[in-house]
Amino acid sequence: MKAGEVHTVQVALPYHLRNLARVEGDVALEVAGAVTVRSVLDALEARYPMLMGTIREHGTQKRRPFLRFFACGEDLTHDPVDAPLPDAVAKGKEPLMVVGAIAGG
């Protein structure tokens, strides 16, 4: 991927975040440059400012507990946020999924 390229990326959000952002279904975002978790979340928060602080902490930008990231059947939650996402995500063929984890016991 070239630095100046713009990619249309699909993001699947959990119901409560879709409701907060007032969207239905997946969100299509334009991401310039490398398609990473950080660049996708930056684009998501720029387009939907009401989501700031819901996926990442305001100050540290760390992922909030009980949220996970998946793409192409892989758990990307603990991958570096600047690691390139799979090509299928960068090409808009597969979504980056933000999933609410469930704890119990």
Side-chain angles (χ1 to χ4, degrees), residues 30-72:
E30 289 191 354
V31 177
V35 178
T36 66
V37 168
R38 183 189 313 270
S39 65
V40 171
L41 294 180
D42 287 348
L44 182 68
E45 291 174 348
R47 184 160 170 201
Y48 300 100
M50 68 284 286
L51 296 179
M52 285 186 173
T54 62
I55 299 171
R56 302 183 287 189
E57 298 284 342
H58 280 289
T60 64
Q61 296 294 298
K62 289 186 181 180
R63 173 185 56 86
R64 284 201 169 272
F66 301 109
L67 284 179
R68 301 182 70 84
F69 305 124
F70 290 88
C72 302

Side-chain angles (χ1 to χ4, degrees), residues 68-77 79 86 95-97:
R68 301 182 70 84
F69 305 124
F70 290 88
C72 302
E74 295 180 41
D75 185 351
L76 306 175
T77 304
D79 289 1
L96 171 65
M97 296 186 293

Side-chain angles (χ1 to χ4, degrees), residues 12-27:
L13 296 171
Y15 174 78
H16 69 286
L17 294 180
R18 286 194 320 264
N19 193 34
L20 181 63
R22 295 188 172 104
V23 297
E24 293 185 23
D26 291 354
V27 174

